[in-house]
Amino acid sequence: MTDSSLELSPTVIAELTAHGVPEKLHPLFPHGLGGLIPAMGIRLSELSAERAVATMPVAPNTQPAGLLHGGASVVLAETLGSLASGVHGGVERMAVGVDVNATHLRPATAGYVTAVCTAVKLGRTVCVHTIEITDEAGRGVCSARITNMLIPRTAR
């Protein structure tokens, strides 16, 4: 049995919908999004293997100086790259991150940041995406790259 044969619970459907996962992609996330995406306030506006777009609030995802935490930027980047890779993998394969790197370009102190994830390689076993995160003025906050392996899904 694979995860794709699981019936989605109303709670999972509500979570996926609330965070912007298109209904046609719900079967790819039978266990929901995990706890981190909702906790960070990440909201998707676009999701495909080739491109994903999401926003995330700066507050409360800040470090002690009141700046967007660099780790929060990496969470946003890894989230988009992994979700896009998971879409590419379909119901038979799931994405697992094997490498992520990020360069922080400028601080964000308020409002929202927007991340745009673009596929570099969509292979049978490896996916690579770049993610550009900008502030509300369109200025670069972070540039990241993630590599995901696609592995067979197993029943939990």
Side-chain angles (χ1 to χ4, degrees), residues 74 77 99-103 142-147:
V74 175
D99 179 68
V100 63
N101 66 68
T103 301
C142 180
S143 182
R145 181 182 58 80
I146 183 169
T147 302

Side-chain angles (χ1 to χ4, degrees), residues 75-98:
V75 166
L76 178 57
E78 185 164 359
T79 294
L80 288 187
S82 294
L83 290 176
S85 294
V87 170
H88 179 65
V91 295
E92 296 301 320
R93 296 174 293 161
M94 65 181 195
V96 293
V98 295

Side-chain angles (χ1 to χ4, degrees), residues 5 11 31 39 48 52 54 75-76 91 94 104 107 113 121-122 150:
S5 66
T11 304
H31 302 288
S48 70
V75 166
L76 178 57
V91 295
M94 65 181 195
H104 304 293
V113 292
K121 175 184 175 56
L122 296 173
L150 298 176

Side-chain angles (χ1 to χ4, degrees), residues 46 51-54 76 80 114-118 130-134 144:
E46 188 176 333
R51 180 178 154 92
V53 180
L76 178 57
L80 288 187
T114 299
V116 177
C117 170
T118 306
T130 58
I131 304 93
E132 299 299 326
I133 302 173
T134 57

Side-chain angles (χ1 to χ4, degrees), residues 31-52:
H31 302 288
L33 296 172
L36 192 55
I37 293 170
M40 301 292 287
I42 297 170
R43 298 285 185 270
L44 295 155
S45 58
E46 188 176 333
L47 179 58
S48 70
E50 296 80 14
R51 180 178 154 92

Side-chain angles (χ1 to χ4, degrees), residues 7-27:
E7 181 90 15
L8 297 179
S9 74
T11 304
V12 167
I13 292 169
E15 176 188 58
L16 294 172
T17 302
H19 290 277
V21 176
E23 186 176 351
K24 68 181 182 180
L25 299 180
H26 286 188

